[in-house]
């Protein structure tokens, strides 16, 4: 490698972005810009009710309109066998089709698609499709979902519980909490958020002969190509997915969903190019959403404010058709990861409702930081300690590492405590307190909020689609460099940052590198923008592939010039031999020989200058940060004005600090939106009440202050020393701002438990009124009052039931990565159980205990990580139910039937 | 459905077309004229992504009908840079300041700033910032846009305030 990474010629420089030249002049290529000959346009007929049966669909009048080519429903698409897949590319355990089949499950559910000569005509016809529904009472909120056990959202399920992990309570932890000198408890709710990329979803699909070309607004054309191949059952077609420019995504476009798949399916059936561009009404009301959650924490502290134990109870609204049925285990994995928390238990559950499905949104687990940091400030007030001092006593410092979190994650190089120190060098807290006191004397309410966190980035274990990224780089015979990467930009600027990495490593000019990442037919699989991974995984792959080329050029040059390879180096596109200026050759000369005169190469060397490297980054690369913000709250109007915001973050070696700061700032603006403005609201009948941008309020320039940055830059263990930074602002921003508001409102004793903190809610807090939302949303107390009693533990069966247990069982384990099918063989011998589990991962024998029809056993597995699985199963007739404790992955449900 | 014959000068070239009365100007420019630089972000006048310059004024192309554009002179983002490719000062300032990420809202922001910068009296920072409150950018947190505005309105050294 030519240059030290970290303070390089290109790495670390604020280079202007390559992308901007086309985007500023209107020369980008977004999906709706694509026009193909003979292309027709799609509009969807959508459900106006949240739940009901489709009685009839009458498309006769609509089909008779001039310009209408076809009107398709679920039964028309059924000739193609389509498996909608979740983000893990697994088949979900509820039936999901591209179009509603027989029933509708949310307002906006696509019931039929109209295909017409232009979008105006398609919408005209969609308005004429008459659908009769038998309306039913919908399940809208998490509280509804918990109550409606008898009539679940999805037929064939026993309850609305979409996923569950953990346990209601742990006796040991309850004892610690009961004895703790200080117990701090609070229940928080987070509103539903629309990701709101400025470009909504869109797709153009064209089948020509044996090739299916799909232009789609997405986060990775490679992932979409793989998704489509699997969803359509590996069709005998060459699938090519193209996404040049994408107008933001933030998680929404992580996989193609019902409408996109419906358009692609229709395109395959009809054989003519089809376009669907989601309009804003559709995007707000029918796209998947995020973040509707509740989290109750109970934390015990000792007399000095050191944490002793915690129990968390969490719920997330999965809507009807989530991108992956989810209890959001990451919330629990990272809730206390940066803090010294000796004992921790949790119950995390996801709930199906009659609302649009749960999708990803920047930092999907972000509520952990929001609730933890807000609760720590509450604890500081309750215990009587300064909130910064409380954090210092509990944060994991460099000296504490390596260490392992309560959920088994090894920490080696996190720096939140050090970021906090750096932050406080820039923010004079004592001076602020004096200013705050003076302002209060004048009736003005200033507040300071501080928060700290760590962010997992570029995870490469546990989620198969996120494990690796690939770089294919060639030095062309012209001497120019072409890089084809599995990264993808929806605004990330990877065409620029990856070129910086490659130019630095190869020793060529930045302008000599062309980066392509827009076409699945070039390059290899990768998840693109997902999990803050691109700098780490894509950058690592780019460095390693470049290094292969450096080595090859060096060996060729040494051979041609009869020089010692140790003295060969590449600089600015020229190949030098140290101390011998006349031996200097251009990279182009070397490349021409490598491709065109293979006889001159070292014996046995493959011709050409082309390299590929598929890089797996470390299991998790952590980014750390501490932020502070100062606000003024107008207690007459409830309006919050942000006066200052300082960010001290450690994202390792920065490739382009302007891009890093852009990522942080964008996340912070979204945080400000979530705390003060945005609320994707539904009424009790499941009707969306914020269907336009006049109702769903996004932050404007006047809502977002100038951000100040302090960069710490501790090298990571990943290639290049990079750490991800894509999601952090959206994670740490909310508690920083909420804590500042709560500090400003502390004279009123206000506790900020629910977002958004709109002016009217802030006036409620000042007046000590309980917000209307809190009345509706069931806190744990209300939940206990309205919930049916939890099912009694399985009673000991009356007699040994060898016949009831022994034999073959078909079982399904509901893992976070999707349902996993297994075959179980049980054989009882008195109280001893012997058996064998067979799955796609292999077979394993076990031995355990049986009491009647109650089975218990443990088995160790080593893949994907080494954990002990503890099974607890109850057999009832030909059915089997129970759970399996999976180490730090929590608890998963097991169901089964006799085979 | 009513049909209208319109003649519009777009980026200096005369376009003639027959349009339906209900056709939105933004759709006409994107689909009929092929000028896909303007983006329709919300189609109800809030996000500002579709902003163009009509007879010297910044206008949202989603709130105007094509028929209403008859006889006007329109500049879209494609018509802003010099023929030799030199960026308009607004485009250059945004590029220098990292004022965009995904670039979907950017054409509208460019056109609003360009319209105000060409006004007879030079626009102030306050004017431009106030105008930007009518544009939504979901990516940048507006940091680079604000820096670009400050660069555009910074007085040359020595010029009286």
């Amino acid at each position: 490698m030519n240059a030290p990474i970290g303070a390089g010629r290109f790495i670390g420089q604020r280079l202007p972005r390559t992308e901007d030249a086309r985007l500023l002049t209107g020369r980008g290529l977004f999906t709706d810009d694509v026009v193909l000959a003979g292309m027709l346009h799609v509009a969807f007929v959508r459900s106006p009710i949240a739940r009901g049966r489709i009685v009839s669909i009458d498309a006769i009048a609509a089909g008779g309109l001039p310009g209408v080519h076809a009107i398709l429903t679920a039964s028309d698409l059924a000739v193609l066998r389509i498996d909608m897949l979740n983000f893990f590319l697994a088949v979900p355990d509820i039936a999901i089709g591209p179009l509603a089949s027989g029933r509708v499950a949310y307002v906006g559910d696509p019931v039929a698609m109209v295909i017409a000569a232009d979008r105006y005509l398609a919408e005209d016809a969609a308005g004429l499709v008459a659908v009769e529904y038998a309306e039913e009472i919908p399940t809208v909120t998490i509280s509804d979902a918990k109550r409606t056990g008898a009539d679940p959202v999805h037929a064939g399920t026993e309850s609305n519980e979409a996923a569950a992990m953990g346990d209601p309570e742990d006796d040991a932890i309850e004892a610690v909490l009961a004895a703790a000198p200080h117990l701090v408890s609070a229940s928080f709710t987070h509103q539903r958020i629309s990701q709101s990329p400025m470009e909504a979803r869109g797709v153009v699909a064209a089948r020509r002969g044996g090739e299916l070309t799909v232009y789609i607004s997405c986060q990775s054309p490679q992932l979409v190509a793989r998704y489509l191949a699997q969803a359509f059952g590996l069709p005998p077609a060459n699938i090519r997915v193209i996404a040049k420019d994408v107008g933001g995504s933030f998680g929404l476009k992580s996989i193609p969903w019902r409408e996109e798949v419906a358009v692609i399916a229709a395109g395959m059936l009809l054989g003519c190019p089809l376009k669907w561009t989601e309009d804003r009404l559709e995007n707000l009301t029918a796209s998947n959403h995020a973040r509707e959650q509740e989290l109750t924490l109970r934390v015990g502290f000792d007399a000095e404010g050191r944490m002793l134990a915690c129990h968390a109870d969490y719920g997330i609204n999965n809507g009807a058709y989530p991108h992956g049925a989810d209890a959001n285990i990451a919330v629990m994995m990272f809730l206390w990861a940066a803090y010294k928390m000796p004992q921790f238990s949790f119950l995390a559950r996801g709930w199906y409702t009659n609302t649009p499905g749960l999708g990803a949104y920047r930092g999907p687990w972000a509520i952990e930081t929001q609730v933890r940091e807000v609760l720590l400030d509450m604890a500081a007030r309750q215990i009587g300690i300064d909130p910064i001092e409380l954090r210092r006593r509990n944060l994991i410092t460099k000296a504490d590492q390596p260490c392992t979190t309560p959920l088994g994650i090894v920490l080696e190089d996190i720096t939140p405590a050090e970021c906090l120190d750096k932050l406080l060098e820039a923010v004079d807290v004592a001076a602020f307190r004096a200013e705050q006191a003076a302002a209060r004397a004048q009736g003005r309410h200033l507040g300071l909020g501080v928060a700290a966190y760590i962010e997992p980035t570029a995870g490469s274990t546990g989620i198969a689609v996120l494990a690796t990224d690939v770089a294919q780089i060639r030095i062309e015979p012209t001497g120019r460099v072409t890089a084809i990467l599995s990264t993808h930009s929806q605004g990330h600027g990877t065409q620029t940052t990856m070129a910086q990495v490659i130019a630095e490593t190869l020793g060529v000019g930045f302008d000599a590198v062309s980066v392509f990442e827009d076409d699945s037919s070039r390059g290899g699989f990768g998840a693109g923008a997902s999990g803050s991974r691109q700098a780490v995984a894509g950058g690592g792959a780019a460095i390693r592939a470049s290094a292969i080329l450096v080595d090859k050029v060096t060996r060729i040059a040494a051979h041609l010039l009869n020089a010692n390879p140790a003295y060969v180096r590449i600089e600015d596109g020229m190949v030098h031999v140290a101390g011998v200026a006349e031996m200097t050759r251009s990279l182009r000369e070397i490349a021409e020989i490598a491709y065109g005169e293979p006889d001159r190469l070292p014996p046995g060397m493959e011709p050409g200058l082309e390299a590929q490297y598929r890089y797996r980054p470390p299991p998790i690369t952590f980014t750390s940060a501490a932020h502070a913000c100062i606000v003024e709250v107008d207690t007459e109007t409830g309006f919050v004005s942000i006066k200052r915001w300082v960010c001290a973050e450690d994202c390792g070696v920065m490739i382009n600090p302007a891009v890093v700061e852009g990522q942080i700032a964008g996340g912070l603006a979204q945080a400000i939106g979530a705390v003060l403005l945005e609320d994707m609201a539904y009424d009790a009948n499941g009707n969306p009440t914020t269907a336009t941008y006049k109702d769903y309020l996004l932050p404007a320039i006047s809502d977002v202050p100038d951000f100040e940055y302090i960069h710490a830059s501790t090298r990571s263990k990943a290639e290049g020393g990079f750490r991800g930074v894509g999601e952090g602002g959206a994670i740490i921003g909310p508690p920083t701002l909420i804590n500042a508001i709560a500090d400003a409102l502390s004279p009123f004793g206000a506790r900020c438990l629910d977002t958004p903190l709109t002016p009217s809610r802030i006036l409620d807090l000042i007046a000590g009124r309980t917000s209307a939302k809190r009345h509706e949303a069931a806190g744990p107390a209300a939940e206990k009052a309205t919930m049916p009693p939890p099912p009694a533990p399985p009673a000991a069966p009356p007699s040994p039931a060898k016949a009831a247990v022994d034999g073959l069982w078909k079982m399904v384990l509901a893992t976070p990565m999707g349902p996993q099918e297994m075959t179980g063989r049980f054989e009882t011998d008195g109280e001893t159980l012997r058996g064998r589990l067979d799955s796609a991962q292999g077979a394993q024998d076990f031995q355990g205990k049986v009491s009647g029809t109650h089975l218990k056993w443990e088995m160790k597995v080593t893949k994907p990580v080494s954990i002990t699985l503890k099974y607890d199963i109850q057999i009832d007739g030909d059915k089997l139910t129970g759970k399996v404790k999976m180490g730090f992955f929590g608890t998963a449900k097991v169901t089964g039937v006799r085979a | 459905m009513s049909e209208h014959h319109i003649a519009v000068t777009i980026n200096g070239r005369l376009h003639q077309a027959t349009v339906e009365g209900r056709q939105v100007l933004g759709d006409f420019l994107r689909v009929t004229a092929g000028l896909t630089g303007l983006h329709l972000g919300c189609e109800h006048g809030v996000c500002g992504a579709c902003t163009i310059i009509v007879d010297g004024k910044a206008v949202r192309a989603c709130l105007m009908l094509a028929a209403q554009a008859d006889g006007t002179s329109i500049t879209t983002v494609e018509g802003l840079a010099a023929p030799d490719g030199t960026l308009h000062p607004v485009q250059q300032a945004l590029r220098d300041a990292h004022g965009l990420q995904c670039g979907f809202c950017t054409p509208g922001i460019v056109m609003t700033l360009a319209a105000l910068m060409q006004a007879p009296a030079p626009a102030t920072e306050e004017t431009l910032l106030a105008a930007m409150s009518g544009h939504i950018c979901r990516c940048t947190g507006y940091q680079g846009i604000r820096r670009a505005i400050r660069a555009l309105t910074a007085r040359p050294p020595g010029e009286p305030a």
Side-chain angles (χ1 to χ4, degrees):
Chain A
M1 243 158 277
N2 290 307
I5 307 288
R9 188 158 172 224
F10 300 114
I11 290 179
Q13 303 301 319
R14 294 174 183 267
L15 294 190
R17 300 196 324 164
T18 307
E19 296 86 344
D20 294 357
R22 68 173 184 272
L23 295 171
L24 281 161
T25 53
R27 265 72 178 188
L29 186 72
F30 295 86
T31 297
D32 189 58
D33 302 341
V34 174
V35 176
L36 300 178
M39 186 173 77
L40 300 176
H41 297 260
V42 176
F44 287 94
V45 178
R46 295 181 181 278
S47 171
I49 61 167
R51 174 175 173 139
R53 191 165 51 81
I54 299 171
V55 176
S56 64
I57 302 174
D58 179 354
I60 292 171
L65 274 192
V68 173
H69 286 246
I71 298 173
L72 305 181
T73 64
S75 59
D76 298 304
L77 299 188
V79 298
L80 296 168
R81 190 179 154 275
I82 303 170
D83 285 324
M84 294 292 298
L85 305 173
N86 64 21
F87 178 73
F88 305 105
L89 303 183
V91 178
D93 55 4
I94 51 164
I96 304 179
L99 297 176
S101 179
R103 298 182 58 78
V104 291
Y106 57 95
V107 172
D109 198 339
V111 172
M113 56 196 296
V114 176
I115 294 154
D118 71 36
R119 178 67 176 255
Y120 286 72
L121 293 172
E123 291 192 18
D124 287 346
L128 290 178
V129 175
V131 185
E132 190 187 332
Y133 300 94
E135 194 168 356
E136 299 168 5
I137 295 170
T139 295
V140 181
T141 63
I142 294 173
S143 309
D144 290 348
K146 288 177 177 173
R147 277 194 288 264
T148 326
D151 194 11
V153 167
H154 293 293
T157 57
E158 289 172 8
S159 76
N160 288 318
E161 192 178 276
M165 302 191 103
D167 290 303
E169 51 188 42
D170 178 294
D171 292 342
I173 284 171
E174 292 305 317
V176 175
L177 292 176
H182 300 284
L183 178 66
V184 182
S185 306
S187 295
F188 300 82
T189 67
H190 193 299
Q191 79 278 27
R192 179 177 284 243
I193 293 287
S194 161
Q195 296 89 337
S196 281
M198 294 318 298
E199 180 202 28
R201 295 181 296 160
V203 61
V204 174
R207 171 169 69 76
R208 285 207 177 84
E211 184 162 315
L212 173 70
T213 305
V214 175
Y215 297 83
I216 186 167
S217 189
C218 67
Q219 293 180 194
S220 161
Q222 298 290 348
L223 184 110
V224 173
R226 181 171 164 189
Y227 184 105
L228 295 176
Q230 292 181 212
F232 285 96
L234 303 178
N238 301 326
I239 296 177
R240 181 180 181 195
V241 176
I242 300 171
K244 179 79 175 170
D245 290 307
V246 175
S249 177
F250 315 111
L252 174 64
K253 303 167 184 170
S254 59
I255 49 173
W257 205 231
R258 301 178 68 205
E259 288 86 347
E260 292 107 310
V261 171
V263 172
I264 293 163
M268 288 170 78
L269 286 177
L270 300 180
C272 52
L274 297 182
K275 176 189 277 187
W276 171 66
T277 302
E278 184 177 55
D279 67 25
R280 189 54 61 184
L281 173 67
E282 293 179 291
N283 181 258
L284 280 168
T285 62
S287 267
N288 282 27
H289 294 144
R291 292 285 205 274
E292 188 183 337
Q293 304 157 91
E294 55 184 36
L295 177 52
T296 298
L297 285 192
R298 291 181 292 131
V299 185
F301 293 82
D302 72 11
E304 282 77 45
R306 290 186 184 83
M307 297 190 295
L308 299 170
C310 169
H311 181 78
D313 191 337
Y314 171 76
I316 180 162
N317 194 329
N318 276 224
Y321 302 117
H323 283 171
D326 200 1
N328 210 351
I329 188 65
V331 173
M332 300 307 152
M333 290 174 83
F334 302 111
L335 179 60
W336 294 112
Y339 286 83
K340 293 167 206 161
M341 171 58 81
Q343 294 189 75
F344 171 44
S345 62
F346 64 87
L347 176 60
R349 289 176 292 181
W351 300 95
Y352 289 123
T353 64
N354 292 112
T355 60
L358 169 67
Y361 182 51
R362 207 171 198 168
W365 58 92
I367 196 170
E368 49 84 24
T369 288
Q370 176 167 331
V371 162
R372 176 191 65 242
E373 295 297 320
V374 173
L375 182 127
L376 286 175
D377 269 27
M378 289 177 183
R381 281 187 210 101
Q382 185 174 326
I383 299 169
I385 301 182
D386 177 79
I388 293 165
E389 177 56 27
L390 182 70
R391 286 180 175 79
R392 284 218 168 102
R393 286 184 196 177
N394 289 289
L395 272 171
I396 292 167
T397 65
K398 273 186 184 166
D400 298 316
Q401 300 172 71
C403 59
T404 305
T405 71
L407 292 193
I409 298 164
V410 176
L411 303 174
E412 296 173 299
D413 58 2
I414 67 165
T415 59
E418 291 73 17
C419 286
L420 183 60
D421 289 340
K422 282 190 177 5
L423 178 77
L424 295 171
E425 288 167 19
V427 178
D428 185 338
V429 176
F432 170 76
R433 291 295 172 211
E435 185 188 349
Q436 184 183 38
R440 273 189 195 154
Q442 301 165 1
R444 290 171 51 227
H445 292 85
L446 304 179
L448 167 68
V450 170
Y453 90 127
I454 60 171
E455 175 191 2
T457 74
S460 70
T461 188
I463 301 176
V465 292
L466 299 182
T468 61
D469 265 285
V470 66
Q472 298 172 349
I473 304 180
R474 53 183 193 259
I475 300 168
E476 307 280 8
T478 59
R480 277 194 63 83
V481 176
T482 301
I484 298 166
L485 308 176
S486 60
T487 50
H488 193 254
S489 172
Q490 303 96 56
H492 304 81
T494 38
Q495 239 186 345
T496 304
T497 53
M498 292 299 125
Q500 288 179 258
V501 169
I502 293 163
E504 180 88 48
T505 313
L506 282 179
V508 301
F510 173 74
D511 293 333
V513 182
S514 302
V515 171
F516 295 93
E517 48 185 17
D518 57 338
D519 184 340
S520 73
S521 70
R522 291 181 281 164
F525 178 76
S530 203
S532 297
R533 60 180 294 98
Q534 305 208 83
V536 181
I543 289 176
R544 296 262 176 105
S546 300
I548 294 170
L549 289 175
V550 169
D551 178 64
K552 189 163 184 180
V553 168
T554 302
R555 285 194 291 135
I556 294 172
H559 178 76
L560 290 173
L561 301 169
N562 200 22
N564 182 338
Y567 294 109
V568 176
R569 64 195 159 81
I570 313 170
E571 204 168 88
D572 217 1
M574 302 300 285
V575 183
H576 303 277
V577 179
V580 198
E582 62 272 24
M583 282 194 181
T584 296
R585 299 286 183 273
S586 71
L587 204 47
R588 176 178 181 162
E589 288 173 80
I590 303 286
E592 282 175 339
I593 292 165
Y595 285 91
E597 299 178 69
D599 293 337
R600 296 176 65 187
L601 298 178
M605 178 181 274
E606 180 191 4
L609 287 175
E610 296 150 308
Q612 170 170 328
Y613 195 92
R614 180 167 286 278
Y615 177 59
R616 180 190 191 181
I620 300 182
T621 299
F622 281 104
T623 289
S624 305
H627 285 213
C629 128
I630 292 171
V631 300
E632 178 165 359
V633 179
D634 183 327
T635 54
E636 294 295 315
T637 63
F639 189 80
V640 175
S641 162
I642 303 172
K643 301 291 187 197
R644 191 179 177 205
W645 197 303
V646 186
C647 151
E649 123 290 327
D650 185 351
C651 70
V653 173
M654 291 187 287
I655 299 170
N656 185 326
V659 170
V660 166
E661 290 166 7
Q663 287 295 313
I664 296 170
L668 288 178
Q670 291 176 337
I672 291 167
V675 172
L676 298 178
L677 299 163
E678 299 176 38
D679 190 356
M680 190 65 228
Y682 280 78
D683 71 13
N685 293 318
N687 293 306
T689 59
T690 50
T692 74
Y693 277 163
K694 292 179 201 286
D695 310 291
Y696 188 85
L697 303 178
L698 293 168
I701 196 167
S702 44
D703 298 307
V704 184
D706 287 334
F707 299 119
E708 302 165 45
Y709 308 96
I710 302 159
H711 300 297
S713 303
T714 305
R715 284 186 71 98
S716 74
K717 290 188 159 47
E719 186 66 64
F722 311 133
R723 299 170 189 270
V725 74
E727 293 162 285
I731 299 171
I732 195 173
T736 308
L737 178 52
I738 294 169
N739 282 344
I741 295 168
D743 185 46
L745 297 182
S746 59
F748 305 97
R751 303 213 307 168
C752 299
L753 303 172
D754 309 314
T755 50
L757 293 165
T758 57
S760 66
R761 189 153 308 150
I762 284 177
L763 293 178
D764 283 344
L765 289 171
I766 291 168
R769 291 187 291 262
T770 306
S771 70
K773 183 175 174 180
R774 188 145 276 272
H775 279 302
E776 284 167 23
E783 181 195 326
K784 272 186 187 141
T786 51
M787 273 271 288
S799 62
K802 186 173 169 63
V805 173
D806 287 16
L808 273 180
W809 293 81
K810 286 175 79 172
M811 298 161 62
V812 179
L813 178 63
T815 76
M817 276 67 109
Q820 200 184 95
E821 292 179 11
M822 307 182 291
T823 305
R825 178 187 292 280
F826 304 141
E827 191 185 330
T828 55
D829 178 9
E831 288 189 353
T832 304
L833 171 73
R834 287 192 187 80
R836 181 181 178 82
L837 284 186
D838 245 304
S839 73
Q841 278 72 44
Q844 198 171 343
D845 294 324
F846 61 85
Q847 187 168 330
K849 290 200 163 149
V850 58
S851 163
T853 54
H854 185 196
L855 319 181
K856 278 180 135 176
W857 74 89
E858 294 186 5
M859 51 202 295
K860 282 201 171 141
V861 296
T862 52
K863 290 178 186 173
V865 289
S866 179
I867 50 173
T868 299
L869 304 175
K870 296 179 180 176
Y871 281 83
D872 188 329
I873 301 287
Q874 179 66 37
I875 287 174
D876 182 11
D878 285 341
K879 276 192 172 172
L880 167 161
T881 54
K883 58 186 181 177
V884 52
K885 278 198 172 183
M886 307 188 296
F888 65 81
F889 289 109
T891 303
K893 283 196 293 189
V894 185
T895 54
V897 293
R898 194 172 271 286
Chain B
M1 246 166 284
S2 63
E3 291 200 333
H4 304 262
H5 183 74
I6 61 170
V8 192
T9 303
I10 308 171
N11 300 331
R13 291 185 55 175
L14 185 68
H15 288 244
Q16 299 195 59
T18 302
V19 298
E20 275 190 29
R22 65 175 177 173
Q23 188 175 36
V24 171
L25 179 58
D27 287 333
F28 171 78
L29 291 170
R30 284 183 56 80
V31 177
T32 310
L35 295 164
T36 53
L38 86 82
H39 299 143
L40 294 162
C42 73
E43 296 178 273
H44 52 266
V46 177
C47 81
C50 65
T51 303
I52 54 174
I53 298 176
V54 180
D55 291 339
K57 286 189 176 154
V59 165
R60 287 173 188 219
C62 73
L63 296 183
M64 186 168 169
L65 296 170
Q68 292 174 297
D70 185 30
T72 63
S73 176
I74 290 175
T75 306
T76 70
V77 71
E78 289 94 337
L80 212 55
D84 70 354
T86 305
L87 295 179
H88 183 278
V90 166
Q91 292 168 319
Q92 189 62 51
L94 283 164
R95 182 163 198 221
D96 293 344
H98 280 256
L100 58 149
Q101 287 180 23
C102 82
F104 193 81
C105 71
T106 305
I109 286 169
V110 167
M111 298 314 283
T112 291
L113 293 177
L116 293 172
M117 291 300 289
Q118 73 181 3
T124 63
E125 182 180 329
E126 292 69 31
T127 308
L128 297 184
L129 286 174
M132 276 307 102
S133 69
H135 286 265
I136 295 173
C137 168
R138 189 62 156 164
C139 291
T140 65
Y142 306 100
Q143 305 294 296
I145 296 168
R146 209 183 267 130
R147 284 194 298 270
I149 286 172
R150 286 174 185 149
L152 284 167
T153 54
R155 291 171 201 286
E159 191 171 302

